[in-house]
């Protein structure tokens, strides 16, 4: 997403048009993902362009001086990239504190800090493999991940060229032209090796289901390297060291090549989607199409897109593409948040117009003046110092949201501690019988504090295995000499029942044994996500079954699962098969109907934070609260020995499902129940479990 334009002496309008195409694909994808589901490939086009232009610049300098001036190179990057980027980060911080709920301030600060230091892609990669963080709403600075990839590329790419220059000079004495030809060959070989390794790793991470692969630099470098390889070949061609086939000079061939490449890019943008394994092999289509368009150059004649390429609006969008990319996403995030829903078509057009207006202002008053500011342009040292100072100031500003969030939380925690120590009558689920009021008469303090709700979960550590693990971990809680033992089996929606079961078990002197694995329901039917390589469940479920049957102290098995999972075959039959094996082994199964889920477009904790005076505004209809894929009762018909436990009436009252009940926040994230609410539900849970046991 580099802001660096082609050198005016080597200005190429087709590259500016490619920039325009790339940024418009990304903006359209962010505005209307349903219309252009693969518009994210615009980022890959930017990568190729950046690799090509930066390498071309380095080769020209190496040919002219025999070396690369790193200070001058990094100073140029700082002048071109930092002013607009740092301004966007500061504006987003200020706007975020004014617009976003307190629950998001900490994340806002982390994203701002990561963006300032150009490591946003690695932060997002870490979140992508974190089971709970993976569902976090996209932040207003998330798009900085691609800038992070490019700027990390800028750190080591010139070093490769510099090292080659030094080595060739030492080992290939001779005429300058011969040395440069040798230098070019070694550079090309180095780039090729890097590109092949990165491409191979990109394919591996994609097909292994590693969610981090989309963001990390190592899976993206090959795209920039391809642009670098093209620059080396074109440089060699310009200097007579490499000759393209004669047919490539044909205007008809070049025009056809551009048209085919453009159709390929648009085809990918229309047909790729979130299910496409990316960046891997799928990225080769937009990458190679971009390469072909650059090779074809500024075409003329019949079938040429010359008029479109040279059209002033296209050239201007290409010139402003960096600023347009920087500003469009925060604008979309903030406006969507204020609206409370996705923009309608008219609002989408307004967002596009607003993005273009911000891009114009940024280009005119920030980007261009910063590049042309004589005191900086004439001094690499001063440019680097100014750049470092700007990053330091922005990084310091990025700490403000987190500090403000912590200070406000500390005040609330004092009231929380007092309320937990002496809970009023009707606290949490205890108020369901009286209509489940959001607040009790004594206080309006919410527990857990919405900003810390994500931490209000069972402290089970490795007892809950990651989705990618092939193992299951058996953990025991309670008295070792207990005369009654209950096993808790399933995915994260089984884990969120742990507190209710454990609290009751503690009162009764029972032992609890857990077999828990995120994203892995205890089913004989394969999940779609496992078939696609994203998770591993079969082996863990096999181990769970074997361990349950091999123990001689299990008196009951409580099974629960997330009802939103999709399966490759009949889900109900899959559950029933597993339950039957346990029942046949003399292990009675008690299956829990899944809990309701708040609307998918907003976290309940964020809504409650914004509507703390009237948390009833965050309740939702029971009719749409439960996942359509909940087959618990259907599975129990296949295996009638299993008893079903349904606690829906503890979450939804009078056809509405509150987010706050008796001063307790029900949801800690998008669909997991807070530990605090589960503790208040322990009595009801225990009574119904024992009633089912007695009936059986």
């Amino acid at each position: 997403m580099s802001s660096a334009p082609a050198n005016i002496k080597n200005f190429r309008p087709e590259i500016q048009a490619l920039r325009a195409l790339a940024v418009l694909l990304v903006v359209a994808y962010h505005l209307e993902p349903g219309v252009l589901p693969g518009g994210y490939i615009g980022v890959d086009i930017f990568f190729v362009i950046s690799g090509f232009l930066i390498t071309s610049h380095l080769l020209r300098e190496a040919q002219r001086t025999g070396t690369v001036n790193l200070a001058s190179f990094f100073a140029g990057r700082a002048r071109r990239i930092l002013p607009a980027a740092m301004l966007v980060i500061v504006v987003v911080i200020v706007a975020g504190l004014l617009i976003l709920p307190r629950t998001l301030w900490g994340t806002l600060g982390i994203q701002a800090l990561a963006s300032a230091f150009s490591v946003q892609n690695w932060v997002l990669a870490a979140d992508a493999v974190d089971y709970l963080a993976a569902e976090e709403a996209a932040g207003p600075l998330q798009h900085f991940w691609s800038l992070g990839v490019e700027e990390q590329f800028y750190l080591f790419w010139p070093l490769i060229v510099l090292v080659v220059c030094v080595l060739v000079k030492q080992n290939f004495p001779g005429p300058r032209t011969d040395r440069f030809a040798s230098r070019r060959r070694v550079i090309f070989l180095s780039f090729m090796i890097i590109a092949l390794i990165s491409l191979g790793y990109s394919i591996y991470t994609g097909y292994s289901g590693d969610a981090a692969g989309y963001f990390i630099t190592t899976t993206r470098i090959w795209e920039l390297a391809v642009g670098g390889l093209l620059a080396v070949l074109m440089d060699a061609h310009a200097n007579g060291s490499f000759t393209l086939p004669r047919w490539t000079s044909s205007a008809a061939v070049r025009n056809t090549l551009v048209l085919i490449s453009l159709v390929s890019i648009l085809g990918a943008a229309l047909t790729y989607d979130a299910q496409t394994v990316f960046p891997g092999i799928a990225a080769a289509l937009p990458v190679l199409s971009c390469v072909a368009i650059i090779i074809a150059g500024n075409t003329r004649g019949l079938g040429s897109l010359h008029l479109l390429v040279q059209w002033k609006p296209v050239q201007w969008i290409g010139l402003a593409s960096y600023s347009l990319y920087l500003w469009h996403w925060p604008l979309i995030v903030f406006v969507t948040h204020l609206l409370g829903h996705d923009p309608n078509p008219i609002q989408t057009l307004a967002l596009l117009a607003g993005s273009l207006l911000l891009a114009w202002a940024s280009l005119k008053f920030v980007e261009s003046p910063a590049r042309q500011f004589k005191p900086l342009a004439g001094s690499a040292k001063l440019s680097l110092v100014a750049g470092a100072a700007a990053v330091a100031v922005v990084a310091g500003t990025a700490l403000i949201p987190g500090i403000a969030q912590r200070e406000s939380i500390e005040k609330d925690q004092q009231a929380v501690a007092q309320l937990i120590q002496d809970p009023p009558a009707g606290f949490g689920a205890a108020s369901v019988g009286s209509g489940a009021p959001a607040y009790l008469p004594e206080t309006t303090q919410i527990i857990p504090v919405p900003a810390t709700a994500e931490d209000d979960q069972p402290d089970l550590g490795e007892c809950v295995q990651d989705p990618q693990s092939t193992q299951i971990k058996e953990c025991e809680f309670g008295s070792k000499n207990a005369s009654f033992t209950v096993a808790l089996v399933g995915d994260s929606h089984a884990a969120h029942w742990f507190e209710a079961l454990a609290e009751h078990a503690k009162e009764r002197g029972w032992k609890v044994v857990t077999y828990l694995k995120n994203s892995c329901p205890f089913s004989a039917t394969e999940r779609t996500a496992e078939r696609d390589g994203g998770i591993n469940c079969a082996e863990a479920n096999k181990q769970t079954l074997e361990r349950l049957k091999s123990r001689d102290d299990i008196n009951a098995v409580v099974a629960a699962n997330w009802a939103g999972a999709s399966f490759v075959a009949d889900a109900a039959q899959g559950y029933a098969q597993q339950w039957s094996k346990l029942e046949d082994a003399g292990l009675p199964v008690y299956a829990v109907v899944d809990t309701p889920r708040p609307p998918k477009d907003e976290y309940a904790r964020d809504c409650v934070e914004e509507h703390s005076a009237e948390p009833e505004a965050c309740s939702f209809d029971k009719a749409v609260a439960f996942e359509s894929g909940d087959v618990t009762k259907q599975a129990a018909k296949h295996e009638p020995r299993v008893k079903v436990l349904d606690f829906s009436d503890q979450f939804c009252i009078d056809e509405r499902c509150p987010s706050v009940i008796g001063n307790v926040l029900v949801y800690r994230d998008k669909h997991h129940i807070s530990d605090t609410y589960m503790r208040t539900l322990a009595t009801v849970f225990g009574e119904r479990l024992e009633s089912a046991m007695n009936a059986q």
Side-chain angles (χ1 to χ4, degrees), residues 564-582:
S566 59
F567 295 83
V568 299
D570 192 318
Q573 287 285 1
Y575 288 117
Q577 287 178 34
Q578 293 291 70
W579 299 344
S580 293
K581 293 173 184 176
L582 294 176

PDB file of all heavy atoms in Angstrom, residues 564-582:
ATOM      1  N   GLY A 564     -24.249 -23.919  16.505  1.00  0.00           N
ATOM      2  CA  GLY A 564     -24.017 -23.266  15.220  1.00  0.00           C
ATOM      3  C   GLY A 564     -23.039 -23.984  14.321  1.00  0.00           C
ATOM      4  O   GLY A 564     -22.779 -23.536  13.200  1.00  0.00           O
ATOM      5  N   ALA A 565     -22.493 -25.122  14.780  1.00  0.00           N
ATOM      6  CA  ALA A 565     -21.524 -25.855  13.972  1.00  0.00           C
ATOM      7  C   ALA A 565     -22.206 -26.514  12.776  1.00  0.00           C
ATOM      8  O   ALA A 565     -23.355 -26.944  12.861  1.00  0.00           O
ATOM      9  CB  ALA A 565     -20.832 -26.909  14.830  1.00  0.00           C
ATOM     10  N   SER A 566     -21.477 -26.599  11.662  1.00  0.00           N
ATOM     11  CA  SER A 566     -22.001 -27.287  10.482  1.00  0.00           C
ATOM     12  C   SER A 566     -21.257 -28.606  10.305  1.00  0.00           C
ATOM     13  O   SER A 566     -20.071 -28.716  10.624  1.00  0.00           O
ATOM     14  CB  SER A 566     -21.837 -26.419   9.232  1.00  0.00           C
ATOM     15  OG  SER A 566     -20.473 -26.111   9.010  1.00  0.00           O
ATOM     16  N   PHE A 567     -21.954 -29.598   9.795  1.00  0.00           N
ATOM     17  CA  PHE A 567     -21.410 -30.938   9.661  1.00  0.00           C
ATOM     18  C   PHE A 567     -21.535 -31.430   8.222  1.00  0.00           C
ATOM     19  O   PHE A 567     -22.388 -30.960   7.465  1.00  0.00           O
ATOM     20  CB  PHE A 567     -22.146 -31.899  10.601  1.00  0.00           C
ATOM     21  CG  PHE A 567     -21.946 -31.599  12.061  1.00  0.00           C
ATOM     22  CD1 PHE A 567     -22.711 -30.632  12.703  1.00  0.00           C
ATOM     23  CD2 PHE A 567     -20.986 -32.277  12.799  1.00  0.00           C
ATOM     24  CE1 PHE A 567     -22.528 -30.343  14.047  1.00  0.00           C
ATOM     25  CE2 PHE A 567     -20.798 -31.996  14.140  1.00  0.00           C
ATOM     26  CZ  PHE A 567     -21.569 -31.033  14.763  1.00  0.00           C
ATOM     27  N   VAL A 568     -20.714 -32.411   7.868  1.00  0.00           N
ATOM     28  CA  VAL A 568     -20.719 -32.941   6.509  1.00  0.00           C
ATOM     29  C   VAL A 568     -21.862 -33.929   6.308  1.00  0.00           C
ATOM     30  O   VAL A 568     -22.195 -34.277   5.171  1.00  0.00           O
ATOM     31  CB  VAL A 568     -19.378 -33.614   6.164  1.00  0.00           C
ATOM     32  CG1 VAL A 568     -18.241 -32.618   6.246  1.00  0.00           C
ATOM     33  CG2 VAL A 568     -19.111 -34.803   7.084  1.00  0.00           C
ATOM     34  N   ALA A 569     -22.454 -34.418   7.393  1.00  0.00           N
ATOM     35  CA  ALA A 569     -23.564 -35.368   7.306  1.00  0.00           C
ATOM     36  C   ALA A 569     -24.546 -35.079   8.435  1.00  0.00           C
ATOM     37  O   ALA A 569     -24.478 -34.025   9.070  1.00  0.00           O
ATOM     38  CB  ALA A 569     -23.037 -36.806   7.364  1.00  0.00           C
ATOM     39  N   ASP A 570     -25.445 -36.037   8.720  1.00  0.00           N
ATOM     40  CA  ASP A 570     -26.498 -35.855   9.710  1.00  0.00           C
ATOM     41  C   ASP A 570     -25.908 -35.619  11.102  1.00  0.00           C
ATOM     42  O   ASP A 570     -25.320 -36.519  11.706  1.00  0.00           O
ATOM     43  CB  ASP A 570     -27.400 -37.093   9.728  1.00  0.00           C
ATOM     44  CG  ASP A 570     -28.674 -36.858  10.525  1.00  0.00           C
ATOM     45  OD1 ASP A 570     -28.600 -36.238  11.600  1.00  0.00           O
ATOM     46  OD2 ASP A 570     -29.740 -37.303  10.076  1.00  0.00           O
ATOM     47  N   ALA A 571     -26.078 -34.400  11.616  1.00  0.00           N
ATOM     48  CA  ALA A 571     -25.506 -34.048  12.920  1.00  0.00           C
ATOM     49  C   ALA A 571     -26.192 -34.802  14.047  1.00  0.00           C
ATOM     50  O   ALA A 571     -25.538 -35.275  14.986  1.00  0.00           O
ATOM     51  CB  ALA A 571     -25.613 -32.546  13.151  1.00  0.00           C
ATOM     52  N   ALA A 572     -27.514 -34.925  13.982  1.00  0.00           N
ATOM     53  CA  ALA A 572     -28.252 -35.605  15.049  1.00  0.00           C
ATOM     54  C   ALA A 572     -27.811 -37.059  15.182  1.00  0.00           C
ATOM     55  O   ALA A 572     -27.623 -37.566  16.304  1.00  0.00           O
ATOM     56  CB  ALA A 572     -29.752 -35.524  14.769  1.00  0.00           C
ATOM     57  N   GLN A 573     -27.626 -37.723  14.063  1.00  0.00           N
ATOM     58  CA  GLN A 573     -27.167 -39.110  14.095  1.00  0.00           C
ATOM     59  C   GLN A 573     -25.773 -39.208  14.701  1.00  0.00           C
ATOM     60  O   GLN A 573     -25.453 -40.158  15.428  1.00  0.00           O
ATOM     61  CB  GLN A 573     -27.159 -39.695  12.682  1.00  0.00           C
ATOM     62  CG  GLN A 573     -28.532 -39.989  12.102  1.00  0.00           C
ATOM     63  CD  GLN A 573     -29.164 -41.230  12.703  1.00  0.00           C
ATOM     64  OE1 GLN A 573     -28.590 -41.875  13.580  1.00  0.00           O
ATOM     65  NE2 GLN A 573     -30.364 -41.562  12.246  1.00  0.00           N
ATOM     66  N   GLY A 574     -24.942 -38.205  14.415  1.00  0.00           N
ATOM     67  CA  GLY A 574     -23.579 -38.213  14.952  1.00  0.00           C
ATOM     68  C   GLY A 574     -23.543 -38.137  16.465  1.00  0.00           C
ATOM     69  O   GLY A 574     -22.784 -38.871  17.116  1.00  0.00           O
ATOM     70  N   TYR A 575     -24.382 -37.271  17.029  1.00  0.00           N
ATOM     71  CA  TYR A 575     -24.455 -37.189  18.493  1.00  0.00           C
ATOM     72  C   TYR A 575     -25.039 -38.475  19.071  1.00  0.00           C
ATOM     73  O   TYR A 575     -24.532 -39.022  20.055  1.00  0.00           O
ATOM     74  CB  TYR A 575     -25.314 -35.987  18.914  1.00  0.00           C
ATOM     75  CG  TYR A 575     -24.668 -34.645  18.679  1.00  0.00           C
ATOM     76  CD1 TYR A 575     -25.226 -33.722  17.802  1.00  0.00           C
ATOM     77  CD2 TYR A 575     -23.483 -34.303  19.332  1.00  0.00           C
ATOM     78  CE1 TYR A 575     -24.638 -32.491  17.579  1.00  0.00           C
ATOM     79  CE2 TYR A 575     -22.887 -33.072  19.107  1.00  0.00           C
ATOM     80  CZ  TYR A 575     -23.469 -32.172  18.232  1.00  0.00           C
ATOM     81  OH  TYR A 575     -22.873 -30.960  18.011  1.00  0.00           O
ATOM     82  N   ALA A 576     -26.113 -38.936  18.455  1.00  0.00           N
ATOM     83  CA  ALA A 576     -26.778 -40.131  18.971  1.00  0.00           C
ATOM     84  C   ALA A 576     -25.842 -41.340  18.983  1.00  0.00           C
ATOM     85  O   ALA A 576     -25.870 -42.156  19.918  1.00  0.00           O
ATOM     86  CB  ALA A 576     -28.027 -40.432  18.135  1.00  0.00           C
ATOM     87  N   GLN A 577     -24.998 -41.466  17.978  1.00  0.00           N
ATOM     88  CA  GLN A 577     -24.061 -42.596  17.923  1.00  0.00           C
ATOM     89  C   GLN A 577     -23.089 -42.561  19.099  1.00  0.00           C
ATOM     90  O   GLN A 577     -22.834 -43.591  19.733  1.00  0.00           O
ATOM     91  CB  GLN A 577     -23.284 -42.565  16.605  1.00  0.00           C
ATOM     92  CG  GLN A 577     -24.099 -42.966  15.388  1.00  0.00           C
ATOM     93  CD  GLN A 577     -23.290 -42.868  14.111  1.00  0.00           C
ATOM     94  OE1 GLN A 577     -22.076 -43.114  14.102  1.00  0.00           O
ATOM     95  NE2 GLN A 577     -23.944 -42.507  13.021  1.00  0.00           N
ATOM     96  N   GLN A 578     -22.557 -41.397  19.373  1.00  0.00           N
ATOM     97  CA  GLN A 578     -21.617 -41.289  20.496  1.00  0.00           C
ATOM     98  C   GLN A 578     -22.325 -41.549  21.825  1.00  0.00           C
ATOM     99  O   GLN A 578     -21.805 -42.247  22.696  1.00  0.00           O
ATOM    100  CB  GLN A 578     -20.977 -39.892  20.511  1.00  0.00           C
ATOM    101  CG  GLN A 578     -20.051 -39.594  19.337  1.00  0.00           C
ATOM    102  CD  GLN A 578     -18.768 -40.398  19.370  1.00  0.00           C
ATOM    103  OE1 GLN A 578     -18.776 -41.612  19.156  1.00  0.00           O
ATOM    104  NE2 GLN A 578     -17.660 -39.740  19.634  1.00  0.00           N
ATOM    105  N   TRP A 579     -23.508 -40.970  21.979  1.00  0.00           N
ATOM    106  CA  TRP A 579     -24.241 -41.162  23.231  1.00  0.00           C
ATOM    107  C   TRP A 579     -24.608 -42.633  23.433  1.00  0.00           C
ATOM    108  O   TRP A 579     -24.558 -43.141  24.560  1.00  0.00           O
ATOM    109  CB  TRP A 579     -25.509 -40.311  23.234  1.00  0.00           C
ATOM    110  CG  TRP A 579     -25.273 -38.836  23.122  1.00  0.00           C
ATOM    111  CD1 TRP A 579     -24.087 -38.169  23.317  1.00  0.00           C
ATOM    112  CD2 TRP A 579     -26.233 -37.834  22.783  1.00  0.00           C
ATOM    113  NE1 TRP A 579     -24.253 -36.823  23.115  1.00  0.00           N
ATOM    114  CE2 TRP A 579     -25.561 -36.581  22.796  1.00  0.00           C
ATOM    115  CE3 TRP A 579     -27.586 -37.856  22.473  1.00  0.00           C
ATOM    116  CZ2 TRP A 579     -26.203 -35.383  22.514  1.00  0.00           C
ATOM    117  CZ3 TRP A 579     -28.247 -36.660  22.184  1.00  0.00           C
ATOM    118  CH2 TRP A 579     -27.561 -35.437  22.203  1.00  0.00           C
ATOM    119  N   SER A 580     -24.962 -43.310  22.343  1.00  0.00           N
ATOM    120  CA  SER A 580     -25.334 -44.726  22.443  1.00  0.00           C
ATOM    121  C   SER A 580     -24.172 -45.565  22.953  1.00  0.00           C
ATOM    122  O   SER A 580     -24.360 -46.496  23.756  1.00  0.00           O
ATOM    123  CB  SER A 580     -25.797 -45.248  21.080  1.00  0.00           C
ATOM    124  OG  SER A 580     -27.000 -44.634  20.681  1.00  0.00           O
ATOM    125  N   LYS A 581     -22.971 -45.238  22.484  1.00  0.00           N
ATOM    126  CA  LYS A 581     -21.793 -45.994  22.931  1.00  0.00           C
ATOM    127  C   LYS A 581     -21.582 -45.821  24.434  1.00  0.00           C
ATOM    128  O   LYS A 581     -21.174 -46.762  25.127  1.00  0.00           O
ATOM    129  CB  LYS A 581     -20.554 -45.537  22.160  1.00  0.00           C
ATOM    130  CG  LYS A 581     -20.604 -45.885  20.675  1.00  0.00           C
ATOM    131  CD  LYS A 581     -19.438 -45.260  19.917  1.00  0.00           C
ATOM    132  CE  LYS A 581     -19.554 -45.527  18.420  1.00  0.00           C
ATOM    133  NZ  LYS A 581     -18.478 -44.860  17.645  1.00  0.00           N
ATOM    134  N   LEU A 582     -21.853 -44.632  24.930  1.00  0.00           N
ATOM    135  CA  LEU A 582     -21.717 -44.402  26.367  1.00  0.00           C
ATOM    136  C   LEU A 582     -22.833 -45.100  27.134  1.00  0.00           C
ATOM    137  O   LEU A 582     -22.586 -45.743  28.172  1.00  0.00           O
ATOM    138  CB  LEU A 582     -21.741 -42.895  26.661  1.00  0.00           C
ATOM    139  CG  LEU A 582     -20.550 -42.078  26.128  1.00  0.00           C
ATOM    140  CD1 LEU A 582     -20.761 -40.599  26.422  1.00  0.00           C
ATOM    141  CD2 LEU A 582     -19.238 -42.546  26.750  1.00  0.00           C
TER     142      LEU A 582
END
